[in-house]
């Protein structure tokens, strides 16, 4: 394939020059043909649903019959709905707790795995395997693992004199218990960090050694800056996972105790599929859409200030 | 000790502790799965079952139709994996091996869509499938995979970009059409990347909880994910049986992991670094 075909990109918009040579035209339609499954999928499973839920959010749709137009009623209700704020707060709390814990755990594991130990393959397997196991099955295991009386965790903590914690039953602990559950997946993130660590050129450390740098300086001024792209990747996936946290709470706590694990998507799900409030749930999903777009833009802007793309091997 | 030796031992200690922590849920699962019911309420809980009751596994299978749910899950997984590999490959080919106007702009849009959480589209998508009469069928879990997934396309595109373009050029000089070039030349070269996509989409389907929860109401059609959930709501107190059932659900993934370990590990890191 000729690689010279990129015309002046600054020229008008999406398609560049509007007039194309025959070869360009042929390639244009051919390219569109190849990516057409995605275009169809994009229109049917993304664009249409977003527009459709915008419309539904302005109606009193219950899931059956014809929706009646109610204007902005659902949005007004949303901003006066205490449970909505509660769900938002829970989700925020969870995300703010889960992201840094996730990054730190994965980083520690990655640093340890970066040492040239002969038995490293064994550690890697043990740490990584849990991250691919079905989250629903892991959630069931945690119900029993964190059982206040018969769980391993309290048995272990009890040996150090820690009083019994009712992890999933105490509103003070329930969100943390779900963050703990999410750490089962830390091995996967650790591998991503490990790949990042191995991508840092050795020469940088050698140069630092010559300059007499301490391990802390090397970490602070070489390792950490060069890992920022991976940290950003982790924050992105952590944020999207945090906004969508549902499954583990659905299984372990069922949004209790005292609504302490009623996360945003859980509330959305309840309204749509349990309370027959599709219209209101659509308003909730549109709010989620706007929040995710805003967060993506914010993250992109913020990342420019601290993510280092300069030396990447 | 030298500094390297010291840090090696520190790493070893961290890793051994981490491995013990990561294994502990599964140890507790198997430990409980093997206990007799009365031993469950012994306090403090025993670290090794007094009597190893292997019958728990057969009993658990009697409590919920494990083989049927396994079969259902395998069926959905195989079909959606086929769809995912086929569609993502063709789409990634169009985004990498053919040069056309607007390609990179469209690719940018595709990447941006990864930021949109599924719950945003959940309700209208549900309504579409309900209108099509697809509730209580596997189609909502299978059909979308035939239309590509942004992350898999991204991953495959990175790989396809690295295959020298001279190869395609030579095929074209020999009179091969774009389809022939893709099918006969690029496809065989892409096997490593395709196996990664296959494994991760299979894993995604196997582990899918929300899809079956929304679309399957007929108990006969259940997958392992909601089958296990139903099991729990029916036998809440039989923790040994629930843990035996969980072991049965986790086991196939463990087996597949050891069969394709390399592709799993590669797949985890392929897409992440630029």
């Amino acid at each position: 394939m000729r690689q010279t075909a990129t015309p002046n990109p600054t020229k008008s918009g999406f398609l560049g020059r509007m007039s194309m040579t025959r070869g360009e035209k042929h390639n244009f339609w051919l390219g569109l043909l190849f990516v057409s499954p995605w275009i169809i999928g994009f229109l049917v499973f993304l664009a249409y649903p977003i527009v459709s839920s915008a419309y539904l959010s302005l109606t009193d749709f219950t899931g059956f019959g014809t929706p009646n137009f109610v204007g902005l009623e659902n949005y007004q209700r949303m901003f006066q709905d205490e449970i909505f704020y509660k769900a938002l707060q829970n989700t925020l709390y969870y995300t703010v707790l889960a992201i840094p814990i996730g990054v730190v755990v994965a980083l520690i594991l990655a640093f340890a795995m970066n040492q040239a130990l002969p038995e490293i393959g064994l550690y890697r397997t043990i740490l990584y395997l849990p991250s691919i196991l079905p989250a629903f099955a892991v959630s069931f295991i945690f119900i029993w693992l964190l059982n206040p009386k018969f769980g391993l965790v309290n048995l272990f903590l009890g040996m150090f004199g820690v009083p019994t914690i009712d992890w999933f039953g105490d509103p003070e602990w329930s969100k943390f218990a779900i963050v703990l559950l999410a750490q089962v997946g830390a091995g996967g993130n650790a591998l991503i960090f490990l790949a990042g660590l191995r991508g840092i050129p050795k020469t940088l450390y050698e140069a630092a050694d010559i300059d007499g740098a301490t391990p802390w300086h090397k970490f602070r001024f070489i390792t950490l800056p060069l890992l920022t792209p991976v940290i950003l990747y982790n924050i992105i996936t952590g944020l999207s996972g945090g906004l969508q946290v549902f499954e583990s709470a659905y299984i372990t706590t069922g949004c209790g105790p005292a609504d302490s694990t009623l996360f945003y998507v859980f509330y959305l799900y309840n309204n749509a599929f349990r309370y027959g409030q599709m219209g209101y749930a659509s308003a909730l999903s549109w709010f989620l859409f706007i929040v995710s777009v805003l967060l993506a833009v914010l993250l992109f802007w913020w990342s420019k200030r601290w993510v280092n793309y300069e030396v990447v091997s | 000790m030298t500094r390297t030796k010291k840090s090696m031992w520190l790493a070893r200690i961290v890793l051994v502790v981490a491995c013990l922590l990561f294994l502990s849920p599964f140890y507790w699962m198997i430990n409980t799965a093997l206990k007799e019911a009365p031993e469950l309420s012994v306090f403090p809980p025993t670290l090794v079952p007094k009597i190893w009751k292997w019958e728990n596994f057969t009993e658990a299978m009697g409590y919920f139709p494990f083989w049927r749910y396994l079969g259902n899950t395998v069926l959905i997984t195989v079909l959606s994996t086929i769809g995912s590999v086929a569609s993502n490959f063709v789409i990634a080919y169009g985004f990498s091996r053919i040069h056309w106007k607007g390609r990179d702009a469209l690719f940018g849009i595709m990447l941006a869509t990864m930021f949109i959480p599924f719950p945003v589209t959940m309700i209208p998508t549900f309504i579409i499938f309900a209108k099509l009469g697809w509730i209580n069928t596997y189609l909502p879990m299978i059909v979308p995979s035939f239309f590509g997934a942004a992350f898999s396309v991204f991953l495959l595109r990175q790989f396809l970009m690295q295959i020298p373009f001279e190869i395609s050029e030579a095929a074209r000089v020999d009179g091969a059409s774009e389809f022939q070039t893709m099918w006969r030349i690029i496809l065989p070269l892409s096997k490593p990347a395709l196996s990664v996509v296959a494994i991760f989409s299979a894993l995604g389907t196997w582990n899918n909880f929300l899809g079956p929860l929304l679309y399957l109401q007929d108990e006969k059609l259940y997958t392992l994910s909601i089958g296990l959930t139903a099991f729990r709501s029916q036998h809440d107190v039989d923790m040994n049986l629930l843990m035996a059932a969980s072991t049965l659900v986790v086991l196939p993934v463990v087996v597949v992991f050891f069969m394709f370990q390399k592709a799993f590990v590669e797949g985890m890191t392929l897409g992440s670094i630029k």
Side-chain angles (χ1 to χ4, degrees):
Chain A
M1 192 63 40
R2 283 159 301 169
Q3 274 184 292
T4 50
T6 327
N8 183 3
T10 55
K11 267 189 174 172
S12 60
F14 172 61
L15 292 179
R17 280 173 297 130
M18 283 319 286
S19 61
M20 293 188 267
T21 66
R22 252 187 71 182
E24 281 173 345
K25 226 175 232 169
H26 172 256
N27 272 359
F28 176 73
W29 290 113
L30 196 65
L32 275 186
L33 179 68
F34 274 76
V35 303
S36 60
W38 173 73
I39 295 176
I40 295 168
F42 170 76
L43 293 174
V44 175
F45 298 121
L46 209 67
Y48 168 76
I50 289 174
V51 174
S52 169
S53 70
Y55 164 70
L56 285 175
S57 75
L58 302 174
T59 71
D60 64 353
F61 192 47
T62 57
F64 302 99
T66 33
N68 300 308
F69 189 79
V70 295
L72 292 173
E73 214 171 84
N74 285 323
Y75 292 94
Q76 281 165 353
R77 176 181 156 193
M78 194 165 87
F79 290 114
Q80 286 159 7
D81 182 355
E82 269 173 42
I83 308 174
F84 162 77
Y85 287 110
K86 177 92 185 168
L88 207 59
Q89 200 187 334
N90 285 339
T91 309
L92 222 68
Y93 182 103
Y94 173 85
T95 312
V96 168
L97 200 64
I99 291 178
I101 290 180
V103 168
V104 169
V105 171
L107 259 177
I108 291 172
L109 295 179
F111 275 115
M113 281 196 278
N114 200 27
Q115 296 290 327
L117 301 172
E119 73 280 23
I120 196 75
L122 178 70
Y123 300 138
R124 195 181 57 189
T125 303
I126 293 173
L127 295 175
Y128 177 51
L129 182 56
S131 75
I132 61 155
L133 296 178
F136 62 86
V138 173
S139 303
F140 282 113
I141 299 168
F142 265 69
I143 293 175
W144 190 236
L145 187 78
L146 295 180
N147 183 291
K149 204 166 172 202
F150 303 112
L152 181 66
V153 172
N154 277 352
L155 179 70
F156 180 74
L157 292 177
M159 291 194 291
F160 299 95
V162 179
T164 301
I165 298 168
D166 188 1
W167 295 92
F168 287 127
D170 183 343
E172 296 287 317
W173 286 101
S174 54
K175 280 188 274 284
F176 183 70
I178 289 173
V179 173
L180 209 62
L181 196 165
Q183 298 317 308
V184 168
N189 290 337
L191 284 192
I192 295 172
F193 273 118
L194 184 61
L197 279 177
R198 297 208 168 136
I200 299 174
K202 288 260 182 323
T203 47
L204 290 178
Y205 293 109
E206 286 159 11
D209 280 332
I210 293 168
D211 292 344
T214 63
W216 164 250
H217 280 122
K218 281 190 273 185
F219 172 76
R220 176 65 190 80
F221 297 109
I222 300 174
T223 314
L224 205 57
L226 292 187
L227 276 184
T228 47
V230 194
I231 295 176
L232 176 67
Y233 176 81
N234 247 270
I235 292 178
I236 292 171
T237 52
L239 200 60
S240 111
L243 287 182
Q244 293 186 59
V245 57
F246 168 71
E247 185 178 335
S248 48
Y250 182 92
I251 291 171
T252 54
T253 55
C255 85
D259 283 346
S260 63
T261 59
L262 180 73
F263 296 116
Y264 195 83
V265 171
F266 210 143
Y267 191 48
L268 199 165
Y269 171 88
N270 280 348
N271 273 291
F273 300 104
R274 283 180 171 163
Y275 312 152
Q277 304 263 337
M278 289 267 188
Y280 185 52
S282 297
L284 289 171
S285 74
W286 242 81
F287 184 76
L288 179 65
F289 174 59
I290 289 166
V291 167
S292 1
V293 170
L294 281 180
L295 281 176
V297 172
L298 212 67
L299 197 62
F300 179 73
W301 170 81
W302 180 54
S303 72
K304 280 186 178 167
R305 307 183 146 224
W306 59 273
V307 175
N308 185 320
Y309 285 112
E310 276 171 25
V311 193
V312 178
S313 66
Chain B
M1 274 197 286
T2 62
R3 182 176 273 162
T4 356
K5 249 207 173 135
K6 240 191 231 166
S7 60
M8 270 173 80
W9 275 102
L10 183 66
R12 190 168 271 146
I13 292 165
V14 169
L15 287 169
V16 169
V17 171
C19 284
L20 289 176
L21 286 176
F22 274 66
L23 284 175
S24 63
F26 306 100
Y27 152 67
W28 206 237
M29 169 182 82
I30 293 166
N31 176 45
T32 309
L34 288 170
K35 282 180 183 175
E36 274 191 307
E39 205 184 331
L40 292 176
S41 45
V42 171
F43 186 82
T46 46
L47 294 173
V48 178
K50 280 186 201 125
I51 303 159
W52 292 43
K53 197 170 167 241
W54 292 99
E55 296 83 29
N56 281 344
F57 289 100
T58 45
E59 215 171 295
M61 279 187 207
Y63 275 40
F64 82 130
F66 173 74
W67 294 109
R68 176 195 282 274
Y69 294 168
L70 182 75
N72 293 345
T73 313
V74 169
L75 178 73
I76 300 174
T77 303
V78 168
L79 291 177
S80 68
T81 305
I82 291 172
S84 151
V85 170
S87 66
N88 287 316
F89 177 67
V90 174
I91 296 165
Y93 190 95
F95 274 129
S96 60
R97 307 293 299 182
I98 306 169
H99 290 271
W100 47 284
K101 268 183 205 160
R103 182 187 82 176
D104 296 337
L106 209 58
F107 185 69
I109 294 175
M110 193 198 72
L111 289 186
T113 63
M114 281 200 277
F115 279 98
I116 300 170
F118 169 71
V120 167
T121 58
M122 183 167 76
I123 295 165
T125 311
F126 180 84
I127 295 170
I128 295 174
F129 289 140
K131 278 197 180 139
L132 290 169
W134 287 2
I135 306 293
N136 272 325
T137 72
Y138 296 144
L139 294 170
M141 273 77 76
I142 296 167
V143 172
S145 65
F146 280 80
F147 296 93
F151 188 70
S152 302
V153 171
F154 170 71
L155 216 142
L156 277 173
R157 179 180 177 269
Q158 301 294 91
F159 185 87
L160 291 176
M161 296 283 258
Q162 287 164 11
I163 299 175
F165 282 81
E166 289 78 17
I167 295 178
S168 300
E169 190 62 37
R172 227 162 54 129
V173 171
D174 289 344
S177 71
E178 199 66 61
F179 285 101
Q180 286 167 326
T181 312
M182 176 183 81
W183 184 252
R184 298 228 186 102
I185 295 163
I186 305 300
L187 182 68
L189 290 173
S190 311
K191 271 185 191 153
L194 286 175
S195 64
V196 169
V197 167
I199 273 190
F200 276 87
S201 77
L203 195 67
T205 316
W206 189 277
N207 294 350
N208 186 359
F209 179 78
L210 191 53
L213 181 71
L214 291 178
Y215 294 111
L216 303 177
Q217 279 132 26
D218 183 351
E219 251 178 63
K220 283 194 214 101
L221 297 172
Y222 277 5
T223 56
L224 285 172
S225 55
I226 41 171
L228 198 62
T229 312
F231 182 102
R232 188 212 170 188
S233 57
Q234 283 152 22
H235 311 280
D236 198 20
V237 282
D238 305 321
M239 266 299 162
N240 52 347
L241 296 186
L242 181 66
M243 288 300 113
S246 302
T247 311
L248 293 171
V249 171
V250 164
L251 209 59
V253 185
V254 176
V255 171
V256 172
F257 174 79
F258 282 108
M259 282 163 71
F260 303 103
Q261 199 171 350
K262 220 178 133 231
F264 269 110
V265 174
E266 272 170 14
M268 198 66 227
T269 51
L270 251 180
S272 59
I273 315 297
K274 314 234 323 164

